[in-house]
Amino acid sequence: MRLDIRPLENRWVRLEPFDETIRAETRAALDCDPDAWDIMVGAAYGPHFDGWWAAAMAAMAAGSRIPYAVRRMTDGALVGTSSLYEINPPYRRCEIGSTFYRPEARGGVVNPACKRLLLAHAFDAGAVRVEIITDAVNPRSQAAILKLGATPEGVLRKHKITWTGRARDTAMFAIIDDEWPQVRHRLDERLSRFV
């Protein structure tokens, strides 16, 4: 499995790998909704942004993460971020996560359009498993992951420590290569309903 670092695009979103030319725009997109950041593993708003950005760039240089800025195609606005991370080529697996969208970009086409691109990129590169995880206290995120077609695999207790110091239980979901054709078809049908 080899994941190239390159932009990914469909008619709804463009995923742009992090680089210095979009740093300020990414900061502005994430500097909102502090309550939503409270349950995230890491915070990237306000004073937390620089450390978060540096960690994302270091992980990309190390080959363990590809962080993307999410640009909405209808208006060109940068509306959030998502990543392929925990990239493990020998096991042909990775995770999709570190996803945050501005409030006005939630609940519409942005998330399924992003996940369609990220999943295709991973499976086209030879992945056999793509995990999508979220905080067990986040039912909205879990519902969105299920709607994508991922299979729930249980809860990992005290799996991560959040930036606030809370021991987080993680709800684990995955899509495997055998399931990808059906998941892709369902996502394409879902996306076709958006004008």
Side-chain angles (χ1 to χ4, degrees), residues 3-5 17-18 30 37 40 42 44 51-68 81-89 94-95 97-100:
L3 287 164
D4 296 328
I5 299 173
F18 282 10
L30 301 182
W37 288 107
M40 302 287 272
W52 178 86
W53 178 271
M57 295 298 283
M60 185 163 55
S64 63
R65 178 177 178 185
I66 306 173
Y68 294 96
T81 64
S82 196
S83 293
L84 289 169
Y85 71 112
E86 301 292 334
I87 298 169
N88 191 323
C94 63
E95 295 178 18
S98 196
T99 299
F100 179 88

PDB file of all heavy atoms in Angstrom, residues 3-5 17-18 30 37 40 42 44 51-68 81-89 94-95 97-100:
ATOM      1  N   LEU A   3       0.311   5.382  -0.338  1.00  0.00           N
ATOM      2  CA  LEU A   3      -0.602   6.517  -0.446  1.00  0.00           C
ATOM      3  C   LEU A   3       0.168   7.748  -0.888  1.00  0.00           C
ATOM      4  O   LEU A   3       1.023   8.253  -0.155  1.00  0.00           O
ATOM      5  CB  LEU A   3      -1.278   6.775   0.912  1.00  0.00           C
ATOM      6  CG  LEU A   3      -2.326   5.753   1.315  1.00  0.00           C
ATOM      7  CD1 LEU A   3      -2.643   5.866   2.798  1.00  0.00           C
ATOM      8  CD2 LEU A   3      -3.587   5.942   0.491  1.00  0.00           C
ATOM      9  N   ASP A   4      -0.108   8.213  -2.097  1.00  0.00           N
ATOM     10  CA  ASP A   4       0.528   9.421  -2.603  1.00  0.00           C
ATOM     11  C   ASP A   4      -0.053  10.648  -1.916  1.00  0.00           C
ATOM     12  O   ASP A   4      -1.258  10.696  -1.624  1.00  0.00           O
ATOM     13  CB  ASP A   4       0.308   9.553  -4.112  1.00  0.00           C
ATOM     14  CG  ASP A   4       0.968   8.435  -4.896  1.00  0.00           C
ATOM     15  OD1 ASP A   4       2.023   7.935  -4.450  1.00  0.00           O
ATOM     16  OD2 ASP A   4       0.422   8.060  -5.948  1.00  0.00           O
ATOM     17  N   ILE A   5       0.804  11.631  -1.701  1.00  0.00           N
ATOM     18  CA  ILE A   5       0.350  12.909  -1.142  1.00  0.00           C
ATOM     19  C   ILE A   5       0.033  13.819  -2.316  1.00  0.00           C
ATOM     20  O   ILE A   5       0.930  14.312  -2.998  1.00  0.00           O
ATOM     21  CB  ILE A   5       1.427  13.527  -0.235  1.00  0.00           C
ATOM     22  CG1 ILE A   5       1.726  12.591   0.934  1.00  0.00           C
ATOM     23  CG2 ILE A   5       0.972  14.893   0.270  1.00  0.00           C
ATOM     24  CD1 ILE A   5       2.895  13.023   1.799  1.00  0.00           C
ATOM     25  N   PRO A  17      -3.659  18.640   0.477  1.00  0.00           N
ATOM     26  CA  PRO A  17      -2.677  18.307   1.503  1.00  0.00           C
ATOM     27  C   PRO A  17      -2.101  19.571   2.132  1.00  0.00           C
ATOM     28  O   PRO A  17      -1.886  20.580   1.438  1.00  0.00           O
ATOM     29  CB  PRO A  17      -1.598  17.534   0.740  1.00  0.00           C
ATOM     30  CG  PRO A  17      -2.295  17.015  -0.474  1.00  0.00           C
ATOM     31  CD  PRO A  17      -3.320  18.059  -0.823  1.00  0.00           C
ATOM     32  N   PHE A  18      -1.879  19.522   3.427  1.00  0.00           N
ATOM     33  CA  PHE A  18      -1.353  20.690   4.126  1.00  0.00           C
ATOM     34  C   PHE A  18      -0.038  21.146   3.519  1.00  0.00           C
ATOM     35  O   PHE A  18       0.831  20.336   3.192  1.00  0.00           O
ATOM     36  CB  PHE A  18      -1.096  20.360   5.597  1.00  0.00           C
ATOM     37  CG  PHE A  18      -2.312  20.336   6.478  1.00  0.00           C
ATOM     38  CD1 PHE A  18      -3.598  20.400   5.963  1.00  0.00           C
ATOM     39  CD2 PHE A  18      -2.159  20.252   7.853  1.00  0.00           C
ATOM     40  CE1 PHE A  18      -4.699  20.374   6.789  1.00  0.00           C
ATOM     41  CE2 PHE A  18      -3.253  20.219   8.696  1.00  0.00           C
ATOM     42  CZ  PHE A  18      -4.527  20.283   8.178  1.00  0.00           C
ATOM     43  N   LEU A  30     -10.729  26.633  11.217  1.00  0.00           N
ATOM     44  CA  LEU A  30     -10.853  25.830  12.426  1.00  0.00           C
ATOM     45  C   LEU A  30     -11.110  26.666  13.680  1.00  0.00           C
ATOM     46  O   LEU A  30     -11.439  26.107  14.730  1.00  0.00           O
ATOM     47  CB  LEU A  30      -9.589  24.987  12.632  1.00  0.00           C
ATOM     48  CG  LEU A  30      -9.248  24.023  11.503  1.00  0.00           C
ATOM     49  CD1 LEU A  30      -7.996  23.229  11.862  1.00  0.00           C
ATOM     50  CD2 LEU A  30     -10.403  23.099  11.184  1.00  0.00           C
ATOM     51  N   TRP A  37     -14.665  21.169  19.950  1.00  0.00           N
ATOM     52  CA  TRP A  37     -13.281  20.753  20.172  1.00  0.00           C
ATOM     53  C   TRP A  37     -13.109  20.050  21.515  1.00  0.00           C
ATOM     54  O   TRP A  37     -12.160  19.286  21.702  1.00  0.00           O
ATOM     55  CB  TRP A  37     -12.340  21.948  20.090  1.00  0.00           C
ATOM     56  CG  TRP A  37     -12.162  22.449  18.694  1.00  0.00           C
ATOM     57  CD1 TRP A  37     -12.676  23.593  18.160  1.00  0.00           C
ATOM     58  CD2 TRP A  37     -11.426  21.829  17.634  1.00  0.00           C
ATOM     59  NE1 TRP A  37     -12.301  23.717  16.842  1.00  0.00           N
ATOM     60  CE2 TRP A  37     -11.534  22.646  16.501  1.00  0.00           C
ATOM     61  CE3 TRP A  37     -10.689  20.652  17.553  1.00  0.00           C
ATOM     62  CZ2 TRP A  37     -10.925  22.333  15.288  1.00  0.00           C
ATOM     63  CZ3 TRP A  37     -10.082  20.342  16.349  1.00  0.00           C
ATOM     64  CH2 TRP A  37     -10.200  21.172  15.232  1.00  0.00           C
ATOM     65  N   MET A  40     -12.612  16.365  21.187  1.00  0.00           N
ATOM     66  CA  MET A  40     -11.603  15.905  20.231  1.00  0.00           C
ATOM     67  C   MET A  40     -10.335  15.484  20.975  1.00  0.00           C
ATOM     68  O   MET A  40     -10.053  15.970  22.071  1.00  0.00           O
ATOM     69  CB  MET A  40     -11.274  17.015  19.239  1.00  0.00           C
ATOM     70  CG  MET A  40     -12.465  17.532  18.441  1.00  0.00           C
ATOM     71  SD  MET A  40     -13.026  16.400  17.183  1.00  0.00           S
ATOM     72  CE  MET A  40     -11.991  16.885  15.828  1.00  0.00           C
ATOM     73  N   GLY A  42      -7.258  16.144  19.979  1.00  0.00           N
ATOM     74  CA  GLY A  42      -6.425  17.343  19.960  1.00  0.00           C
ATOM     75  C   GLY A  42      -7.255  18.544  19.557  1.00  0.00           C
ATOM     76  O   GLY A  42      -8.234  18.406  18.833  1.00  0.00           O
ATOM     77  N   ALA A  44      -7.445  22.363  17.710  1.00  0.00           N
ATOM     78  CA  ALA A  44      -6.749  23.117  16.669  1.00  0.00           C
ATOM     79  C   ALA A  44      -7.319  24.518  16.500  1.00  0.00           C
ATOM     80  O   ALA A  44      -7.075  25.163  15.494  1.00  0.00           O
ATOM     81  CB  ALA A  44      -6.820  22.361  15.346  1.00  0.00           C
ATOM     82  N   GLY A  51       0.621  24.281  17.460  1.00  0.00           N
ATOM     83  CA  GLY A  51       1.134  22.972  17.868  1.00  0.00           C
ATOM     84  C   GLY A  51       0.482  21.845  17.095  1.00  0.00           C
ATOM     85  O   GLY A  51       1.145  20.874  16.699  1.00  0.00           O
ATOM     86  N   TRP A  52      -0.829  21.979  16.870  1.00  0.00           N
ATOM     87  CA  TRP A  52      -1.565  20.972  16.114  1.00  0.00           C
ATOM     88  C   TRP A  52      -1.054  20.907  14.676  1.00  0.00           C
ATOM     89  O   TRP A  52      -0.821  19.821  14.130  1.00  0.00           O
ATOM     90  CB  TRP A  52      -3.061  21.305  16.165  1.00  0.00           C
ATOM     91  CG  TRP A  52      -3.942  20.404  15.400  1.00  0.00           C
ATOM     92  CD1 TRP A  52      -4.492  19.222  15.829  1.00  0.00           C
ATOM     93  CD2 TRP A  52      -4.409  20.593  14.061  1.00  0.00           C
ATOM     94  NE1 TRP A  52      -5.269  18.677  14.827  1.00  0.00           N
ATOM     95  CE2 TRP A  52      -5.229  19.496  13.746  1.00  0.00           C
ATOM     96  CE3 TRP A  52      -4.216  21.585  13.107  1.00  0.00           C
ATOM     97  CZ2 TRP A  52      -5.859  19.371  12.500  1.00  0.00           C
ATOM     98  CZ3 TRP A  52      -4.825  21.461  11.870  1.00  0.00           C
ATOM     99  CH2 TRP A  52      -5.636  20.360  11.589  1.00  0.00           C
ATOM    100  N   TRP A  53      -0.869  22.071  14.048  1.00  0.00           N
ATOM    101  CA  TRP A  53      -0.357  22.142  12.676  1.00  0.00           C
ATOM    102  C   TRP A  53       1.038  21.520  12.595  1.00  0.00           C
ATOM    103  O   TRP A  53       1.323  20.718  11.698  1.00  0.00           O
ATOM    104  CB  TRP A  53      -0.335  23.590  12.200  1.00  0.00           C
ATOM    105  CG  TRP A  53       0.224  23.789  10.829  1.00  0.00           C
ATOM    106  CD1 TRP A  53       1.538  24.002  10.504  1.00  0.00           C
ATOM    107  CD2 TRP A  53      -0.491  23.768   9.593  1.00  0.00           C
ATOM    108  NE1 TRP A  53       1.672  24.138   9.145  1.00  0.00           N
ATOM    109  CE2 TRP A  53       0.447  24.001   8.560  1.00  0.00           C
ATOM    110  CE3 TRP A  53      -1.837  23.594   9.256  1.00  0.00           C
ATOM    111  CZ2 TRP A  53       0.083  24.059   7.221  1.00  0.00           C
ATOM    112  CZ3 TRP A  53      -2.189  23.651   7.909  1.00  0.00           C
ATOM    113  CH2 TRP A  53      -1.249  23.878   6.915  1.00  0.00           C
ATOM    114  N   ALA A  54       1.911  21.865  13.531  1.00  0.00           N
ATOM    115  CA  ALA A  54       3.276  21.331  13.524  1.00  0.00           C
ATOM    116  C   ALA A  54       3.265  19.809  13.656  1.00  0.00           C
ATOM    117  O   ALA A  54       4.027  19.119  12.963  1.00  0.00           O
ATOM    118  CB  ALA A  54       4.097  21.967  14.651  1.00  0.00           C
ATOM    119  N   ALA A  55       2.397  19.277  14.517  1.00  0.00           N
ATOM    120  CA  ALA A  55       2.312  17.819  14.681  1.00  0.00           C
ATOM    121  C   ALA A  55       1.810  17.161  13.399  1.00  0.00           C
ATOM    122  O   ALA A  55       2.305  16.094  13.000  1.00  0.00           O
ATOM    123  CB  ALA A  55       1.403  17.474  15.857  1.00  0.00           C
ATOM    124  N   ALA A  56       0.829  17.769  12.739  1.00  0.00           N
ATOM    125  CA  ALA A  56       0.305  17.221  11.486  1.00  0.00           C
ATOM    126  C   ALA A  56       1.380  17.229  10.398  1.00  0.00           C
ATOM    127  O   ALA A  56       1.538  16.253   9.656  1.00  0.00           O
ATOM    128  CB  ALA A  56      -0.922  18.004  11.031  1.00  0.00           C
ATOM    129  N   MET A  57       2.134  18.303  10.313  1.00  0.00           N
ATOM    130  CA  MET A  57       3.194  18.389   9.303  1.00  0.00           C
ATOM    131  C   MET A  57       4.310  17.379   9.582  1.00  0.00           C
ATOM    132  O   MET A  57       4.834  16.760   8.655  1.00  0.00           O
ATOM    133  CB  MET A  57       3.757  19.811   9.247  1.00  0.00           C
ATOM    134  CG  MET A  57       2.743  20.855   8.765  1.00  0.00           C
ATOM    135  SD  MET A  57       2.148  20.573   7.076  1.00  0.00           S
ATOM    136  CE  MET A  57       3.556  21.156   6.135  1.00  0.00           C
ATOM    137  N   ALA A  58       4.658  17.182  10.850  1.00  0.00           N
ATOM    138  CA  ALA A  58       5.695  16.209  11.210  1.00  0.00           C
ATOM    139  C   ALA A  58       5.234  14.792  10.876  1.00  0.00           C
ATOM    140  O   ALA A  58       6.016  13.978  10.363  1.00  0.00           O
ATOM    141  CB  ALA A  58       6.041  16.334  12.694  1.00  0.00           C
ATOM    142  N   ALA A  59       3.962  14.488  11.149  1.00  0.00           N
ATOM    143  CA  ALA A  59       3.432  13.160  10.835  1.00  0.00           C
ATOM    144  C   ALA A  59       3.401  12.934   9.324  1.00  0.00           C
ATOM    145  O   ALA A  59       3.666  11.820   8.853  1.00  0.00           O
ATOM    146  CB  ALA A  59       2.040  12.984  11.444  1.00  0.00           C
ATOM    147  N   MET A  60       3.093  13.982   8.559  1.00  0.00           N
ATOM    148  CA  MET A  60       3.101  13.840   7.103  1.00  0.00           C
ATOM    149  C   MET A  60       4.532  13.576   6.618  1.00  0.00           C
ATOM    150  O   MET A  60       4.750  12.708   5.768  1.00  0.00           O
ATOM    151  CB  MET A  60       2.514  15.083   6.429  1.00  0.00           C
ATOM    152  CG  MET A  60       2.394  14.929   4.918  1.00  0.00           C
ATOM    153  SD  MET A  60       1.299  16.114   4.087  1.00  0.00           S
ATOM    154  CE  MET A  60       1.963  17.681   4.595  1.00  0.00           C
ATOM    155  N   ALA A  61       5.501  14.286   7.171  1.00  0.00           N
ATOM    156  CA  ALA A  61       6.901  14.072   6.784  1.00  0.00           C
ATOM    157  C   ALA A  61       7.369  12.664   7.138  1.00  0.00           C
ATOM    158  O   ALA A  61       8.173  12.070   6.414  1.00  0.00           O
ATOM    159  CB  ALA A  61       7.792  15.119   7.454  1.00  0.00           C
ATOM    160  N   ALA A  62       6.822  12.120   8.225  1.00  0.00           N
ATOM    161  CA  ALA A  62       7.194  10.768   8.657  1.00  0.00           C
ATOM    162  C   ALA A  62       6.443   9.677   7.900  1.00  0.00           C
ATOM    163  O   ALA A  62       6.767   8.496   8.031  1.00  0.00           O
ATOM    164  CB  ALA A  62       6.930  10.621  10.156  1.00  0.00           C
ATOM    165  N   GLY A  63       5.423  10.055   7.124  1.00  0.00           N
ATOM    166  CA  GLY A  63       4.671   9.091   6.332  1.00  0.00           C
ATOM    167  C   GLY A  63       3.546   8.399   7.070  1.00  0.00           C
ATOM    168  O   GLY A  63       2.949   7.459   6.554  1.00  0.00           O
ATOM    169  N   SER A  64       3.201   8.886   8.257  1.00  0.00           N
ATOM    170  CA  SER A  64       2.132   8.240   9.031  1.00  0.00           C
ATOM    171  C   SER A  64       0.786   8.954   8.917  1.00  0.00           C
ATOM    172  O   SER A  64      -0.218   8.458   9.435  1.00  0.00           O
ATOM    173  CB  SER A  64       2.530   8.153  10.510  1.00  0.00           C
ATOM    174  OG  SER A  64       2.695   9.451  11.064  1.00  0.00           O
ATOM    175  N   ARG A  65       0.754  10.093   8.233  1.00  0.00           N
ATOM    176  CA  ARG A  65      -0.491  10.851   8.119  1.00  0.00           C
ATOM    177  C   ARG A  65      -0.451  11.720   6.873  1.00  0.00           C
ATOM    178  O   ARG A  65       0.601  12.237   6.501  1.00  0.00           O
ATOM    179  CB  ARG A  65      -0.662  11.737   9.361  1.00  0.00           C
ATOM    180  CG  ARG A  65      -1.894  12.609   9.333  1.00  0.00           C
ATOM    181  CD  ARG A  65      -2.014  13.400  10.631  1.00  0.00           C
ATOM    182  NE  ARG A  65      -3.157  14.279  10.608  1.00  0.00           N
ATOM    183  CZ  ARG A  65      -3.444  15.148  11.563  1.00  0.00           C
ATOM    184  NH1 ARG A  65      -2.680  15.252  12.627  1.00  0.00           N
ATOM    185  NH2 ARG A  65      -4.505  15.918  11.463  1.00  0.00           N
ATOM    186  N   ILE A  66      -1.623  11.863   6.240  1.00  0.00           N
ATOM    187  CA  ILE A  66      -1.787  12.868   5.191  1.00  0.00           C
ATOM    188  C   ILE A  66      -2.933  13.770   5.651  1.00  0.00           C
ATOM    189  O   ILE A  66      -4.104  13.383   5.570  1.00  0.00           O
ATOM    190  CB  ILE A  66      -2.104  12.258   3.814  1.00  0.00           C
ATOM    191  CG1 ILE A  66      -1.069  11.211   3.414  1.00  0.00           C
ATOM    192  CG2 ILE A  66      -2.179  13.378   2.762  1.00  0.00           C
ATOM    193  CD1 ILE A  66      -1.419  10.452   2.150  1.00  0.00           C
ATOM    194  N   PRO A  67      -2.606  14.963   6.163  1.00  0.00           N
ATOM    195  CA  PRO A  67      -3.652  15.890   6.588  1.00  0.00           C
ATOM    196  C   PRO A  67      -4.135  16.730   5.398  1.00  0.00           C
ATOM    197  O   PRO A  67      -3.329  17.226   4.614  1.00  0.00           O
ATOM    198  CB  PRO A  67      -2.953  16.753   7.634  1.00  0.00           C
ATOM    199  CG  PRO A  67      -1.509  16.749   7.221  1.00  0.00           C
ATOM    200  CD  PRO A  67      -1.273  15.441   6.501  1.00  0.00           C
ATOM    201  N   TYR A  68      -5.444  16.866   5.300  1.00  0.00           N
ATOM    202  CA  TYR A  68      -6.042  17.617   4.191  1.00  0.00           C
ATOM    203  C   TYR A  68      -6.891  18.764   4.716  1.00  0.00           C
ATOM    204  O   TYR A  68      -7.638  18.609   5.694  1.00  0.00           O
ATOM    205  CB  TYR A  68      -6.984  16.720   3.380  1.00  0.00           C
ATOM    206  CG  TYR A  68      -6.340  15.598   2.637  1.00  0.00           C
ATOM    207  CD1 TYR A  68      -6.287  14.322   3.191  1.00  0.00           C
ATOM    208  CD2 TYR A  68      -5.803  15.789   1.366  1.00  0.00           C
ATOM    209  CE1 TYR A  68      -5.711  13.262   2.502  1.00  0.00           C
ATOM    210  CE2 TYR A  68      -5.226  14.730   0.678  1.00  0.00           C
ATOM    211  CZ  TYR A  68      -5.185  13.475   1.251  1.00  0.00           C
ATOM    212  OH  TYR A  68      -4.623  12.430   0.566  1.00  0.00           O
ATOM    213  N   THR A  81     -11.126  20.165   7.958  1.00  0.00           N
ATOM    214  CA  THR A  81      -9.992  19.285   7.709  1.00  0.00           C
ATOM    215  C   THR A  81     -10.401  17.827   7.882  1.00  0.00           C
ATOM    216  O   THR A  81     -11.390  17.516   8.546  1.00  0.00           O
ATOM    217  CB  THR A  81      -8.825  19.554   8.694  1.00  0.00           C
ATOM    218  OG1 THR A  81      -9.245  19.244  10.015  1.00  0.00           O
ATOM    219  CG2 THR A  81      -8.340  20.978   8.614  1.00  0.00           C
ATOM    220  N   SER A  82      -9.630  16.947   7.297  1.00  0.00           N
ATOM    221  CA  SER A  82      -9.736  15.513   7.542  1.00  0.00           C
ATOM    222  C   SER A  82      -8.375  14.908   7.190  1.00  0.00           C
ATOM    223  O   SER A  82      -7.555  15.574   6.547  1.00  0.00           O
ATOM    224  CB  SER A  82     -10.859  14.872   6.717  1.00  0.00           C
ATOM    225  OG  SER A  82     -11.183  13.596   7.236  1.00  0.00           O
ATOM    226  N   SER A  83      -8.136  13.690   7.615  1.00  0.00           N
ATOM    227  CA  SER A  83      -6.826  13.072   7.396  1.00  0.00           C
ATOM    228  C   SER A  83      -6.948  11.585   7.135  1.00  0.00           C
ATOM    229  O   SER A  83      -7.863  10.925   7.626  1.00  0.00           O
ATOM    230  CB  SER A  83      -5.941  13.233   8.654  1.00  0.00           C
ATOM    231  OG  SER A  83      -5.593  14.556   8.904  1.00  0.00           O
ATOM    232  N   LEU A  84      -5.992  11.092   6.390  1.00  0.00           N
ATOM    233  CA  LEU A  84      -5.658   9.670   6.409  1.00  0.00           C
ATOM    234  C   LEU A  84      -4.506   9.578   7.394  1.00  0.00           C
ATOM    235  O   LEU A  84      -3.495  10.263   7.238  1.00  0.00           O
ATOM    236  CB  LEU A  84      -5.226   9.188   5.028  1.00  0.00           C
ATOM    237  CG  LEU A  84      -6.339   9.109   3.989  1.00  0.00           C
ATOM    238  CD1 LEU A  84      -5.756   8.874   2.605  1.00  0.00           C
ATOM    239  CD2 LEU A  84      -7.335   8.019   4.340  1.00  0.00           C
ATOM    240  N   TYR A  85      -4.674   8.782   8.456  1.00  0.00           N
ATOM    241  CA  TYR A  85      -3.612   8.719   9.444  1.00  0.00           C
ATOM    242  C   TYR A  85      -3.491   7.315  10.007  1.00  0.00           C
ATOM    243  O   TYR A  85      -4.198   6.409   9.574  1.00  0.00           O
ATOM    244  CB  TYR A  85      -3.789   9.787  10.523  1.00  0.00           C
ATOM    245  CG  TYR A  85      -4.926   9.589  11.486  1.00  0.00           C
ATOM    246  CD1 TYR A  85      -4.659   9.307  12.823  1.00  0.00           C
ATOM    247  CD2 TYR A  85      -6.248   9.708  11.100  1.00  0.00           C
ATOM    248  CE1 TYR A  85      -5.689   9.143  13.729  1.00  0.00           C
ATOM    249  CE2 TYR A  85      -7.277   9.551  11.994  1.00  0.00           C
ATOM    250  CZ  TYR A  85      -6.995   9.267  13.312  1.00  0.00           C
ATOM    251  OH  TYR A  85      -8.020   9.095  14.197  1.00  0.00           O
ATOM    252  N   GLU A  86      -2.520   7.163  10.934  1.00  0.00           N
ATOM    253  CA  GLU A  86      -2.163   5.817  11.399  1.00  0.00           C
ATOM    254  C   GLU A  86      -1.907   4.921  10.182  1.00  0.00           C
ATOM    255  O   GLU A  86      -2.319   3.761  10.149  1.00  0.00           O
ATOM    256  CB  GLU A  86      -3.244   5.226  12.304  1.00  0.00           C
ATOM    257  CG  GLU A  86      -3.538   6.029  13.549  1.00  0.00           C
ATOM    258  CD  GLU A  86      -2.394   6.028  14.557  1.00  0.00           C
ATOM    259  OE1 GLU A  86      -1.605   5.067  14.559  1.00  0.00           O
ATOM    260  OE2 GLU A  86      -2.296   6.982  15.331  1.00  0.00           O
ATOM    261  N   ILE A  87      -1.250   5.481   9.173  1.00  0.00           N
ATOM    262  CA  ILE A  87      -0.976   4.748   7.933  1.00  0.00           C
ATOM    263  C   ILE A  87       0.034   3.644   8.225  1.00  0.00           C
ATOM    264  O   ILE A  87       1.125   3.902   8.729  1.00  0.00           O
ATOM    265  CB  ILE A  87      -0.459   5.712   6.844  1.00  0.00           C
ATOM    266  CG1 ILE A  87      -1.531   6.765   6.518  1.00  0.00           C
ATOM    267  CG2 ILE A  87      -0.033   4.946   5.594  1.00  0.00           C
ATOM    268  CD1 ILE A  87      -1.045   7.914   5.652  1.00  0.00           C
ATOM    269  N   ASN A  88      -0.357   2.409   7.918  1.00  0.00           N
ATOM    270  CA  ASN A  88       0.467   1.243   8.223  1.00  0.00           C
ATOM    271  C   ASN A  88       0.594   0.378   6.959  1.00  0.00           C
ATOM    272  O   ASN A  88      -0.178  -0.566   6.768  1.00  0.00           O
ATOM    273  CB  ASN A  88      -0.168   0.457   9.370  1.00  0.00           C
ATOM    274  CG  ASN A  88       0.743  -0.608   9.917  1.00  0.00           C
ATOM    275  OD1 ASN A  88       1.482  -1.249   9.176  1.00  0.00           O
ATOM    276  ND2 ASN A  88       0.674  -0.820  11.223  1.00  0.00           N
ATOM    277  N   PRO A  89       1.561   0.701   6.078  1.00  0.00           N
ATOM    278  CA  PRO A  89       1.681  -0.038   4.820  1.00  0.00           C
ATOM    279  C   PRO A  89       1.868  -1.549   4.972  1.00  0.00           C
ATOM    280  O   PRO A  89       1.257  -2.308   4.213  1.00  0.00           O
ATOM    281  CB  PRO A  89       2.887   0.622   4.135  1.00  0.00           C
ATOM    282  CG  PRO A  89       2.898   2.016   4.680  1.00  0.00           C
ATOM    283  CD  PRO A  89       2.470   1.862   6.121  1.00  0.00           C
ATOM    284  N   CYS A  94      -5.236   1.891   7.312  1.00  0.00           N
ATOM    285  CA  CYS A  94      -5.108   3.269   7.764  1.00  0.00           C
ATOM    286  C   CYS A  94      -6.423   3.668   8.417  1.00  0.00           C
ATOM    287  O   CYS A  94      -7.386   2.895   8.426  1.00  0.00           O
ATOM    288  CB  CYS A  94      -4.754   4.214   6.618  1.00  0.00           C
ATOM    289  SG  CYS A  94      -5.997   4.319   5.317  1.00  0.00           S
ATOM    290  N   GLU A  95      -6.440   4.860   8.985  1.00  0.00           N
ATOM    291  CA  GLU A  95      -7.649   5.421   9.569  1.00  0.00           C
ATOM    292  C   GLU A  95      -8.010   6.695   8.825  1.00  0.00           C
ATOM    293  O   GLU A  95      -7.158   7.348   8.233  1.00  0.00           O
ATOM    294  CB  GLU A  95      -7.438   5.752  11.050  1.00  0.00           C
ATOM    295  CG  GLU A  95      -7.182   4.569  11.929  1.00  0.00           C
ATOM    296  CD  GLU A  95      -6.930   4.956  13.379  1.00  0.00           C
ATOM    297  OE1 GLU A  95      -7.269   6.088  13.787  1.00  0.00           O
ATOM    298  OE2 GLU A  95      -6.383   4.118  14.121  1.00  0.00           O
ATOM    299  N   GLY A  97      -9.655  10.234   9.933  1.00  0.00           N
ATOM    300  CA  GLY A  97     -10.027  10.951  11.143  1.00  0.00           C
ATOM    301  C   GLY A  97      -9.449  12.342  11.187  1.00  0.00           C
ATOM    302  O   GLY A  97      -9.073  12.895  10.165  1.00  0.00           O
ATOM    303  N   SER A  98      -9.364  12.856  12.409  1.00  0.00           N
ATOM    304  CA  SER A  98      -8.987  14.253  12.611  1.00  0.00           C
ATOM    305  C   SER A  98      -9.861  15.138  11.730  1.00  0.00           C
ATOM    306  O   SER A  98      -9.403  16.061  11.068  1.00  0.00           O
ATOM    307  CB  SER A  98      -7.497  14.468  12.320  1.00  0.00           C
ATOM    308  OG  SER A  98      -7.071  15.699  12.861  1.00  0.00           O
ATOM    309  N   THR A  99     -11.144  14.795  11.726  1.00  0.00           N
ATOM    310  CA  THR A  99     -12.117  15.489  10.878  1.00  0.00           C
ATOM    311  C   THR A  99     -12.840  16.549  11.683  1.00  0.00           C
ATOM    312  O   THR A  99     -13.350  16.291  12.767  1.00  0.00           O
ATOM    313  CB  THR A  99     -13.133  14.480  10.313  1.00  0.00           C
ATOM    314  OG1 THR A  99     -12.433  13.509   9.524  1.00  0.00           O
ATOM    315  CG2 THR A  99     -14.185  15.177   9.462  1.00  0.00           C
ATOM    316  N   PHE A 100     -12.853  17.750  11.151  1.00  0.00           N
ATOM    317  CA  PHE A 100     -13.590  18.854  11.760  1.00  0.00           C
ATOM    318  C   PHE A 100     -14.129  19.722  10.636  1.00  0.00           C
ATOM    319  O   PHE A 100     -13.387  20.101   9.738  1.00  0.00           O
ATOM    320  CB  PHE A 100     -12.680  19.702  12.661  1.00  0.00           C
ATOM    321  CG  PHE A 100     -13.382  20.871  13.293  1.00  0.00           C
ATOM    322  CD1 PHE A 100     -14.034  20.719  14.502  1.00  0.00           C
ATOM    323  CD2 PHE A 100     -13.417  22.104  12.670  1.00  0.00           C
ATOM    324  CE1 PHE A 100     -14.702  21.786  15.095  1.00  0.00           C
ATOM    325  CE2 PHE A 100     -14.084  23.180  13.246  1.00  0.00           C
ATOM    326  CZ  PHE A 100     -14.721  23.018  14.458  1.00  0.00           C
TER     327      PHE A 100
END
